[in-house]
Amino acid sequence: MTNYLKSNNIIEDKIKIGEIPAILFRPKDERELIPTIIFYHGWSSNKEIQRIRGFILASVGYQVIIPDAIYHGERKALDNYGGENAAKYFWDIIFSNIEESDSIINEIILNYNGDPKRIGVMGHSMGGITAAGVFTHNPNLKTLAVLNGSCGWQDSNNRFKEFLEVDSYERELEEKVNKMDPMNNLNLLIDRPIILLHGDSDTLVPIESQELFYENLKPLYNHKEKLKIMKYLNLNHFVTTDMMEQSIAWFYKYLLN
């Protein structure tokens, strides 16, 4: 396949952070500390599928790292991503991403000139759920953008179980979902910049969980403008051009400065 994503101003490299394969985009000849975005892909996706989004973000001045999650891409991808495997692996993948996030952040800072004061996280679907968890539990991250994901894990988990026809997960997993749920850790998020972008007709990750999270968190904010939800009418589980544009505008406001 021809590599049509090329620019004289952007460097793209395949890198490895420990055992984590990733794609790195960065502005060419950047000598100062670089604002950096970690982008997490969704269920059944991988870093290559998300290249266009990394390229778009890098084209406006950000360094972008897109890691492969376990059981995706180069990390023992599953033979299928149907309901049985979703019920078996979904939350394990998210928690693995969160556990690995510190090593990715440290690598960005130590070896890729990332500005430790200007690191944001972003993700789509499962990647948005991951990004929400990484952001919640790392106070040093500057901003969060969630595309068709969820920051209300318990509510989403109940919907997932109904959709997958699963009565319950193991008690330990259920407790971990509840403990790490951003909705149950609102005190860690007050006045931190968060944008939520979601189709109002999303059948895979229903918007209701995001709306619930937003309504619970907003009253705690002293600076209301730092929390924003954007609903896209009649849109299912897709990322639109406007979602990317709004994310870029958000990062310009809250990551560059």
Side-chain angles (χ1 to χ4, degrees), residues 3 5 16 31 37 47 55 63 70 109-110 119 132 136 143 162 164 169 171 178 182 185 192 232 248 254-256:
N3 182 1
L5 293 181
K16 208 161 188 183
R31 299 185 185 280
I37 298 167
K47 62 186 184 305
F55 188 86
Q63 176 169 248
I70 57 171
I109 295 168
L110 292 174
I119 298 175
T136 298
T143 190
E162 183 178 350
L164 296 170
Y169 298 119
R171 181 179 175 183
N178 297 343
N185 292 276
R192 299 176 67 194
Y232 291 79
I248 288 169
Y254 290 111
L255 187 60
L256 278 185

Side-chain angles (χ1 to χ4, degrees), residues 34 37 43 74 83 97 102 111 119 154 158 163 166 189 195 225 247 253:
I34 312 171
I37 298 167
W43 175 256
E74 297 181 52
N97 283 340
D102 281 346
N111 294 318
I119 298 175
Q154 281 181 273
N158 290 333
F163 179 76
V166 174
L189 296 169
I195 187 169
E225 72 279 1
S247 297
K253 186 173 183 180

Side-chain angles (χ1 to χ4, degrees), residues 16-32:
K16 208 161 188 183
I17 302 170
E19 296 301 313
I20 309 167
I23 296 177
L24 172 75
F25 289 95
R26 64 202 318 258
K28 190 176 182 181
D29 298 327
E30 182 64 64
R31 299 185 185 280
E32 299 180 355

Side-chain angles (χ1 to χ4, degrees), residues 19-253:
E19 296 301 313
I20 309 167
I23 296 177
L24 172 75
F25 289 95
R26 64 202 318 258
K28 190 176 182 181
D29 298 327
E30 182 64 64
R31 299 185 185 280
E32 299 180 355
L33 294 179
I34 312 171
T36 302
I37 298 167
I38 306 170
F39 188 101
Y40 289 98
H41 67 73
W43 175 256
S44 80
S45 186
N46 58 56
K47 62 186 184 305
E48 278 78 19
I49 292 174
Q50 301 302 320
R51 283 181 67 235
I52 183 62
R53 289 165 189 159
F55 188 86
I56 290 169
L57 293 168
S59 71
V60 291
Y62 301 101
Q63 176 169 248
V64 184
I65 290 184
I66 310 175
D68 270 337
I70 57 171
Y71 308 125
H72 289 76
E74 297 181 52
R75 304 183 74 181
K76 299 181 179 178
L78 301 175
D79 290 333
N80 73 80
Y81 291 89
E84 184 176 345
N85 277 335
K88 184 176 181 181
Y89 294 113
F90 186 80
W91 285 109
D92 285 342
I93 293 167
I94 289 170
F95 291 129
S96 173
N97 283 340
I98 293 172
E99 289 164 7
E100 294 176 345
S101 63
D102 281 346
S103 62
I104 294 174
I105 293 166
N106 290 337
E107 185 80 1
I108 289 168
I109 295 168
L110 292 174
N111 294 318
Y112 293 101
N113 216 30
D115 186 341
K117 295 181 180 179
R118 293 187 295 170
I119 298 175
V121 282
M122 181 178 182
H124 173 241
S125 191
M126 180 186 76
I129 298 172
T130 289
V134 171
F135 183 76
T136 298
H137 299 286
N138 190 325
N140 296 318
L141 296 176
K142 195 166 182 186
T143 190
L144 167 68
V146 180
L147 310 175
N148 303 321
S150 174
C151 303
W153 290 5
Q154 281 181 273
D155 189 74
S156 286
N157 193 34
N158 290 333
R159 296 172 188 275
F160 292 154
K161 286 188 291 187
E162 183 178 350
F163 179 76
L164 296 170
E165 299 182 345
V166 174
D167 292 329
S168 64
Y169 298 119
E170 293 181 4
R171 181 179 175 183
E172 183 178 346
L173 179 59
E174 294 274 10
E175 289 177 349
K176 193 170 185 180
V177 170
N178 297 343
K179 180 181 178 181
M180 300 289 285
D181 185 353
M183 180 91 87
N184 292 334
N185 292 276
L186 297 181
N187 60 304
L188 302 178
L189 296 169
I190 298 171
D191 285 340
R192 299 176 67 194
I194 299 172
I195 187 169
L196 314 170
L197 305 108
H198 213 116
D200 74 347
S201 301
D202 193 326
T203 56
L204 292 181
V205 184
I207 194 174
E208 286 79 6
S209 300
Q210 287 296 59
E211 292 175 323
L212 183 64
F213 169 79
Y214 176 81
E215 293 302 328
N216 276 269
L217 182 56
K218 186 176 181 179
L220 304 180
Y221 268 55
N222 298 303
H223 302 282
K224 307 295 186 187
E225 72 279 1
K226 290 186 176 181
L227 178 64
K228 186 174 184 179
I229 187 168
M230 297 193 66
K231 305 174 189 180
Y232 291 79
L233 297 180
N234 303 315
L235 181 69
N236 204 326
H237 196 65
F238 301 101
V239 176
T240 68
T241 302
D242 188 71
M243 284 181 177
M244 291 301 298
E245 184 174 353
Q246 294 294 337
S247 297
I248 288 169
W250 188 264
F251 287 132
Y252 181 82
K253 186 173 183 180

